[in-house]
């Protein structure tokens, strides 16, 4: 796709529907080369940040970013868990059409394949330096369970358009508990060769299940009872690692330091940094300087640590005098969860804090709490600060960036990504006509205008493995008027059969859709 000025006229036509945009403003939208930083939080809910209304925690650095940018109030991750959500953002393809995009094990093979076009490829094609730092969770290595962790790993995010990578293969609660830098275990310790299995333990190695006395840092509340690293038991088995093993209390420092180093190295030319924090995923084990600083225990302290990371990034940009020409997008991969498997007192100390804000459900859920996420876009040089209720989806990242950069997405790549740059930029207050959301059991929902629709499915009403979360599942079609009541309570599907039909047809069409879209024309719904 080329988003030339001519194309922009056609976007303008769409925007006229939402309100006229002055020609001069349209010109500003495209042909720009700001530095771009995506700050992807993990499991931070719509209600977890001060600027989204909570009084339970102070997040001054995120507040400042929101004050200087646009705070979106109707922005959606594509999925209610990490792997499919991140897959969608980086590739512009819905995960429900791609195999193996559910929550990945630490030894999953790389899910995005090198021949796929990613957001990093796009930036690189425009001469940007590119980096992925922090939580990855999209697999690494050519094939699942075949990795040799003691040698350079063929097939890493460095094959997906990222020049520099410093990543956790999956999550902090999954082995291997090491950072991987450019496809090689960082701080590799030859005296402690690494072995990983998600099938069986290695002879003689302790586990959380058999050796709870070794869990000196955190104990599981459900699951997470396999290999022990740093006094915390995890999902999966590993052996070795030695000096390379991370200490959970240093993960945020380590991710932040590598991000700051990358920014400093590339301060003189455009860069794209995909910065994924480990906060506030479990095990929540922030550095001691954040301990006890919130009133909500480790979960709250991890939010403070996240806010600190944001402050480190923004202060460094300022110090280097590149803050005004840096576009920052701060968001989260999915909705929040309170107890996600460790006895960290998150439930006991929650008080009246509402991690999902006014929405029903949470991480994993088909209700809005599953995918409604904080979303802040800041670019001091170009974007006027404000608030937007435009309907936004992560799926449009790649096409919207292509518009901004005047870049090209090859045919048949990023098939579900539309150019929504005018909405992300704050010019268009409407955004998409509809957005799709995928829950943990692959139920697809639609948000459009005042509506929220959840397709009928066979899943049970509550998550079964531990977290106390309503799934939003029902054997009946569910339709809510979310403008009237953000909390999805009153199913009015029977009163609106035409709307239900339009949404179920849309979902069917999108499940079967192939081929390249016209980036500037999202199919309109007759509702
Ligand atoms: C679940 C884990 C949970 C978390 C989640 C993925 C158990 C009992 N629960 O299976 O702790 O890791 O997967 O979270 O194992 S995500 O944010 O990376 O999608
Ligand atoms: Ca997550």
């Amino acid at each position: 796709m080329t988003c030339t000025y001519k194309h922009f006229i056609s976007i303008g036509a769409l925007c006229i529907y939402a309100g006229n945009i002055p020609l001069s403003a349209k010109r500003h939208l495209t042909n720009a080369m700001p530095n771009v930083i995506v700050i992807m939080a993990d499991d931070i809910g719509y209600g977890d940040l001060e600027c989204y209304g909570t009084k339970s925690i102070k997040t001054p650095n995120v507040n400042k970013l929101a004050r200087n940018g646009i705070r979106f109030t109707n922005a959606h991750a594509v999925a209610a868990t990490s792997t499919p959500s991140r897959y969608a953002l980086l590739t512009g393809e819905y995960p429900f059409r791609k195999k193996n995009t559910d929550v990945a094990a630490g030894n999953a093979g790389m899910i995005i394949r090198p021949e796929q076009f990613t957001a990093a490829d796009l930036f690189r094609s425009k001469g940007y330096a590119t980096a992925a730092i922090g939580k990855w969770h999209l697999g690494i290595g050519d094939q699942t369970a075949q990795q040799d962790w003691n040698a350079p790993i063929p097939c890493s995010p460095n094959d997906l358009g990222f020049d520099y990578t410093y990543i956790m293969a999956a999550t902090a609660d999954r082995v291997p508990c090491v950072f991987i830098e450019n496809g090689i275990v960082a701080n590799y310790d030859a005296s402690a060769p690494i072995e990983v299995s998600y099938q069986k333990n290695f002879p003689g190695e302790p586990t959380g299940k058999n050796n709870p006395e070794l869990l000196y840092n955190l104990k599981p509340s459900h699951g997470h009872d396999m290999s022990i690293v740093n006094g915390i038991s995890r999902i999966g088995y590993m052996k070795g690692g030695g000096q390379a093993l991370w200490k959970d209390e240093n993960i945020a420092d380590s991710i932040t330091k590598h991000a700051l180093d990358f920014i400093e190295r590339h301060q003189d030319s455009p860069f794209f940094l995909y910065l994924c924090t480990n906060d506030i995923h479990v095990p929540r084990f922030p550095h001691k300087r954040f301990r006890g600083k919130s009133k909500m225990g480790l979960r709250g302290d991890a939010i403070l640590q996240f806010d600190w990371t944001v402050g480190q990034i923004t202060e460094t940009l300022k110090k280097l005098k590149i803050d005004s020409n840096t576009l920052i997008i701060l968001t989260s991969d999915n909705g929040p969860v309170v107890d996600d498997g460790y006895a960290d007192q998150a439930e006991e100390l929650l008080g009246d804090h509402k991690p999902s804000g006014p929405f029903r459900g949470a991480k994993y859920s088909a209700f809005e709490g599953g995918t409604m996420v904080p979303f802040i876009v800041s670019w001091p040089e170009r974007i006027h600060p404000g608030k937007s209720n435009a309907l936004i989806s992560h799926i449009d990242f790649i096409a919207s960036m292509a518009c901004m950069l005047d870049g090209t997405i090859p045919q048949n790549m990023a098939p579900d990504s539309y150019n929504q740059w005018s909405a992300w930029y704050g010019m268009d207050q409407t955004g998409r006509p509809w957005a799709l959301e995928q829950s943990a059991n692959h139920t697809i929902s639609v948000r459009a205008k005042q509506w929220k629709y959840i397709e009928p499915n066979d899943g049970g009403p509550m998550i079964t493995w531990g977290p106390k979360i309503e799934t939003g599942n029902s054997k009946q079609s569910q339709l809510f008027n979310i403008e009237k009541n953000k909390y999805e309570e009153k199913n009015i599907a029977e009163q609106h059969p035409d709307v239900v039909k339009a949404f179920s047809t849309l979902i069917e069409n999108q499940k079967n859709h192939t081929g390249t879209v016209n980036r500037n024309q999202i199919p309109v719904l007759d509702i």
Side-chain angles (χ1 to χ4, degrees), residues 152-170:
I153 302 170
C155 242
S156 76
N158 294 63
D159 300 306
L160 301 177
F162 291 105
D163 304 324
Y164 175 74
T165 63
Y166 180 79
I167 58 163
M168 309 162 78

Side-chain angles (χ1 to χ4, degrees), residues 14 225 264:
L14 283 182
D225 60 358
E264 298 219 358

Side-chain angles (χ1 to χ4, degrees), residues 358 480-490:
F480 304 97
N481 184 328
I482 200 147
E483 248 167 42
K484 268 205 182 135
N485 184 4
K486 290 192 171 62
Y487 200 81
E488 294 147 87
E489 259 173 331
K490 196 167 166 238

Side-chain angles (χ1 to χ4, degrees), residues 42-43 80-83 103 135 137 171 173-174 222-224 235 281-282 333-334 340-342 363-364 465:
D42 199 346
D43 297 357
T81 55
S82 154
T83 302
V103 174
K135 172 173 169 176
H137 212 185
T171 53
D173 61 349
R174 286 172 172 75
H222 57 262
H224 302 106
I235 307 170
H281 198 276
V282 296
D333 65 340
N334 51 251
D340 207 14
Y342 288 94
K363 179 175 178 177
Y364 308 115
W465 59 87

Side-chain angles (χ1 to χ4, degrees), residues 127-185:
Y128 277 59
T130 55
I133 296 178
K135 172 173 169 176
W136 176 241
H137 212 185
L138 286 164
I140 187 166
D142 193 35
Q143 282 178 51
T144 297
Q146 301 302 309
Q147 302 89 346
D148 176 359
W149 303 94
N150 305 290
I153 302 170
C155 242
S156 76
N158 294 63
D159 300 306
L160 301 177
F162 291 105
D163 304 324
Y164 175 74
T165 63
Y166 180 79
I167 58 163
M168 309 162 78
T171 53
D173 61 349
R174 286 172 172 75
V175 301
C177 299
V178 292
F179 279 95
I180 300 164
E181 190 169 28
N182 295 328
I184 299 171
V185 169

